[in-house]
Amino acid sequence: MKMMSGKVAVAAALLLAQHVAWAADSVDEAREALQTQEDDVTQEKNLEEVFQAAEKQYSLLPSGQMSLNFSGNYSYYRDDRIDIAIDEDTGNISRFRIEQDAQHSFSSSLSVDYGIWNNLTFNTRLPVSYKYDTEKDVSQAALGDVSFGLRFQPFPVKPGAMNTTLYTTLSTPTGDSPYELNVREEVSSGSGYYSVGAGLSVSKVIDPVVLFGSLGYTYAFDVSGLNQVRGGEILTDVHPGDSLNFSMGLAYSLSYEVSLSASYQQSYNFETDFVFEDYTASSEDSTSSVVNTSLGLRTASNRIVNLSFGFGLTEDSPDVLLGISMPIDFSGLKPGA
């Protein structure tokens, strides 16, 4: 029984390898900042280094080997706002209405990993997104923020021991900046600023379950030299707030061809300062919490399709998250292909 249980754990490892007015404007930016960023540690990345080569000395890509993965995601946000105006002379309410704003977002990305050493992997991610905002009645397809990262495994994998991976990321503002467009008529596809992140992820196999978690911090660089009209004022500088994020979850194999996983992710964003020509305003700290579940299906000997579903627990989180990811193999791309 012990040997069969061990095989189930390895099957789970292989199956889950490739988962995982101005006041209103400032609220929108805080909400968008809390959407999953390209450099966030997701369930997919937490599992990747653990399961990619469960029986090898290191669980990252071997030196000189390359992998290409495709992922597609859909998210839905809904927000109800109260628009109220009070007459200064009488003190009576002259306008009271509830505005319903919903945003549909479709995104896809290609992720390329390359093994520099057996315990050091380089990654780059190229995202493309399509957004539709119901309140503005605006849709737009554009390139997102391209990111680069390194994942380092300081210690070889040992049976029964904790597996630890350190990571660092750089996100570049290649997408359409929310601070350089018409906020009433356009939607952004990027954050608008550079950011660097660092952290660690850990995992442990407790046959036949795999437990995993991560902790990271992202530093956001200031943006200056802006000339954007917001609520009748000119925005000149933005000081984005840093973010602290963590995640935890587990994976379980139902069979060699089917596996399930569940995770919880939370991100805490510190306040963002918006500098106008005449004054400075700040958004409050905010928190995003998301619960994710994934189903891994082996469709071929060398292909695993992962389907995921998630939902937000806070107002700053997406209401619905759907995703799909799979490896893409080209002849000659990988050694031995």
Side-chain angles (χ1 to χ4, degrees), residues 169-250:
T169 59
L170 168 65
S171 179
T172 62
T174 52
D176 293 336
S177 171
Y179 312 118
E180 296 179 355
L181 47 75
N182 187 325
V183 295
R184 295 301 181 186
E185 299 179 0
E186 299 177 282
V187 292
S188 64
S189 63
S191 63
Y193 54 83
Y194 286 93
S195 64
V196 293
L200 75 142
S201 59
V202 296
S203 64
K204 183 176 177 60
V205 177
I206 304 177
D207 212 3
V209 175
V210 180
L211 304 177
F212 58 90
S214 70
L215 178 65
Y217 188 89
T218 300
Y219 174 81
F221 291 89
D222 296 342
V223 183
S224 59
L226 302 174
N227 187 32
Q228 185 185 51
V229 178
R230 281 177 176 262
E233 300 290 339
I234 303 298
L235 179 67
T236 60
D237 299 273
V238 175
H239 306 303
D242 299 342
S243 63
L244 178 66
N245 60 79
F246 78 91
S247 67
M248 57 185 177
L250 60 87

Side-chain angles (χ1 to χ4, degrees), residues 59-77:
S59 58
L60 301 182
L61 279 180
S63 176
Q65 198 168 100
M66 181 183 297
S67 68
L68 178 65
N69 288 273
F70 167 82
S71 64
N73 298 279
Y74 164 77
S75 64
Y76 172 74
Y77 285 80

Side-chain angles (χ1 to χ4, degrees), residues 116-316:
I116 300 175
W117 301 327
N118 288 340
N119 63 339
L120 180 65
T121 296
F122 170 80
N123 168 268
T124 183
R125 195 163 185 262
L126 179 67
V128 177
S129 68
Y130 171 83
K131 290 184 179 180
Y132 174 68
D133 193 302
T134 58
E135 183 185 27
K136 301 174 185 177
D137 193 22
V138 172
S139 62
Q140 179 175 315
L143 176 68
D145 290 344
V146 177
S147 63
F148 306 91
L150 288 172
R151 302 181 72 80
F152 174 66
Q153 193 172 21
F155 310 109
V157 175
K158 295 182 180 180
M162 185 81 72
N163 181 29
T164 302
T165 302
L166 306 177
Y167 72 88
T168 182
T169 59
L170 168 65
S171 179
T172 62
T174 52
D176 293 336
S177 171
Y179 312 118
E180 296 179 355
L181 47 75
N182 187 325
V183 295
R184 295 301 181 186
E185 299 179 0
E186 299 177 282
V187 292
S188 64
S189 63
S191 63
Y193 54 83
Y194 286 93
S195 64
V196 293
L200 75 142
S201 59
V202 296
S203 64
K204 183 176 177 60
V205 177
I206 304 177
D207 212 3
V209 175
V210 180
L211 304 177
F212 58 90
S214 70
L215 178 65
Y217 188 89
T218 300
Y219 174 81
F221 291 89
D222 296 342
V223 183
S224 59
L226 302 174
N227 187 32
Q228 185 185 51
V229 178
R230 281 177 176 262
E233 300 290 339
I234 303 298
L235 179 67
T236 60
D237 299 273
V238 175
H239 306 303
D242 299 342
S243 63
L244 178 66
N245 60 79
F246 78 91
S247 67
M248 57 185 177
L250 60 87
Y252 182 79
S253 176
L254 299 178
S255 68
Y256 183 73
E257 277 120 8
V258 181
S259 60
L260 293 173
S261 67
S263 70
Y264 172 80
Q265 297 172 255
Q266 181 167 316
S267 176
Y268 181 84
N269 273 42
F270 298 95
E271 69 175 32
T272 295
D273 295 327
F274 298 87
V275 181
F276 294 85
E277 287 184 331
D278 300 324
Y279 65 96
T280 299
S282 300
S283 66
E284 297 181 353
D285 296 358
S286 50
T287 301
S288 173
S289 300
V290 174
V291 171
N292 275 304
T293 59
S294 296
L295 172 68
L297 300 173
R298 181 181 294 278
T299 59
S301 60
N302 62 342
R303 174 169 288 115
I304 301 169
V305 177
N306 299 297
L307 306 174
S308 63
F309 164 75
F311 56 90
L313 302 178
T314 66
E315 292 183 356
D316 301 306

Side-chain angles (χ1 to χ4, degrees), residues 65 330-337:
Q65 198 168 100
F330 291 104
S331 179
L333 179 63
K334 298 179 180 180

